[in-house]
Amino acid sequence: MPPIIFIHGLNSSPSSAWELNMKWENDYGHADANEGISSTESFTGNTYSWAENQPYSNVDTHYIDSYDNGDDSIIELPERLIEYNSYTPNVDLFAYQYGANNHVGIAGDDLESFIQGLRTHVDSISSYQDFNIIAHSKGGLVSRHFIELTDGTLDIDRLITFGTPHFGVNNSAAGDLDRGNSELWDDSISDAYCETLYGEDYYNSASEGHTYTKYFAFAGVDEDLEDIPDTEENQYHVVSNNNDVAVTDYNSYHNWYANRFDITDSCDGISNLCGFGDGLVSLDSALGSDLDPDSPQQISHVDMTKKWLWIGKQGGHSEFKRLYASYIRVEDVLQGVYD
């Protein structure tokens, strides 16, 4: 199977999102060494002094020092894949970090440099090696920027997203994730650092879209279980993929969800701070459906091979990716079960 790259979300890190620990901090527009780094703790064999800063395009700033933060109550996907599937950090399992509050476009460009660095400096990675990416939240948009806008689809076999706001969030504090004020979804907005993502329809002479990359999405609903029948709660539900029945019959996943479980909700289903979702990202955005009537332009849904929705406890933004049920499905995706 292709090697895996794990990517974190907004205001996060490989350690906080995936329990993949590094000796580099990502609080700024560059990575800072937490301590002296020896030649055996880098991909290139270079050494670095304490507090030295390097750009994220330097492959060494992504070297995994350890995994598992010692809390047995939290087991992230990388630990399961390392323990159960014999993946090895820095050999066929990697982590990519970017500035915790950095721009999607900048992080996407540095991801390209990181992959090229792996091909150059890691013996187990060939010049033509494909990768799989598992991304949380904003990390999915960083991945899509690389895949869709720099021909990264030629490098990535599968992209698996957890709680990614594929159509943003309605929150001005979210920077370029703000659905109504970002060139990621509105090409009339001028942003020096990014171009527009166009869902399934993004094809032009400068890009392959994601022709060669299969997309898989996981979403969560952090819901009061009193509203959910016992037979439906605390489990994954497969939701429709292309030509979505949910979208066709109910206009949105929000309305489909409300209808299925007979839940009355005063929210319009668009705001990411109310309605159905994982507490930060709305159900529709996480499943790649653009249904915001206030958006300057409507964009078709993101073409996905398969989508899952977790309903119940541990449906919060950072929680459902840790579920054993998530691991089982990710393992199937990586093995090509759904191809």
Side-chain angles (χ1 to χ4, degrees), residues 73-133:
S73 67
I74 298 176
I75 303 177
E76 295 285 357
L77 273 168
E79 182 177 353
R80 295 189 192 276
L81 290 168
I82 292 167
E83 298 293 338
Y84 303 154
N85 298 82
S86 300
Y87 280 89
T88 303
N90 303 316
V91 175
D92 56 3
L93 187 147
F94 304 94
Y96 170 71
Q97 68 173 337
Y98 55 93
N101 196 26
N102 213 348
H103 198 290
V104 166
I106 295 174
D109 290 342
D110 285 340
L111 176 56
E112 180 178 18
S113 298
F114 169 62
I115 288 175
Q116 292 306 318
L118 293 179
R119 287 176 170 154
T120 300
H121 297 290
V122 179
D123 291 341
S124 59
I125 306 298
S126 73
S127 299
Y128 304 100
Q129 177 69 67
D130 287 339
F131 293 83
N132 291 321
I133 292 178

Side-chain angles (χ1 to χ4, degrees), residues 42 84 98 121 137 157 165 173 209 215 241 246 271 309 335:
S42 68
Y84 303 154
Y98 55 93
H121 297 290
S137 196
D157 192 16
Y215 285 3
N241 301 312
S271 173
L309 169 63
Q335 293 176 352

Side-chain angles (χ1 to χ4, degrees), residues 102-106 145 149 174-178 181-196:
N102 213 348
H103 198 290
V104 166
I106 295 174
H145 198 280
L149 298 174
D176 58 352
L177 303 190
D178 181 4
N181 191 34
S182 173
E183 192 179 351
L184 289 172
W185 301 283
D186 183 359
D187 58 11
S188 70
I189 295 174
S190 179
D191 187 330
Y193 299 111
C194 77
E195 297 176 63
T196 305

Side-chain angles (χ1 to χ4, degrees), residues 39 75 125 128 138 148 202 269 280 298 309:
S39 61
I75 303 177
I125 306 298
Y128 304 100
K138 179 180 177 178
E148 297 174 26
Y202 189 87
L280 290 176
Q298 292 293 296
L309 169 63

Side-chain angles (χ1 to χ4, degrees), residues 24 75 104 181 195 214-215 220 223 267 284 292 304 335:
W24 297 87
I75 303 177
V104 166
N181 191 34
E195 297 176 63
K214 299 176 181 67
Y215 285 3
E223 184 63 70
C267 178
D284 280 286
D292 189 338
M304 302 281 186
Q335 293 176 352

Side-chain angles (χ1 to χ4, degrees), residues 192-204:
Y193 299 111
C194 77
E195 297 176 63
T196 305
L197 300 171
Y198 276 98
E200 68 168 347
D201 290 336
Y202 189 87
Y203 296 95
N204 66 25

Side-chain angles (χ1 to χ4, degrees), residues 23-25 28 30-37 47-55 61:
K23 292 186 175 181
W24 297 87
E25 289 285 349
Y28 309 99
H30 50 74
D32 288 341
N34 283 331
E35 57 185 270
I37 295 174
T47 61
Y48 301 90
S49 58
W50 172 78
E52 182 173 348
N53 63 72
Q54 289 288 322
T61 63

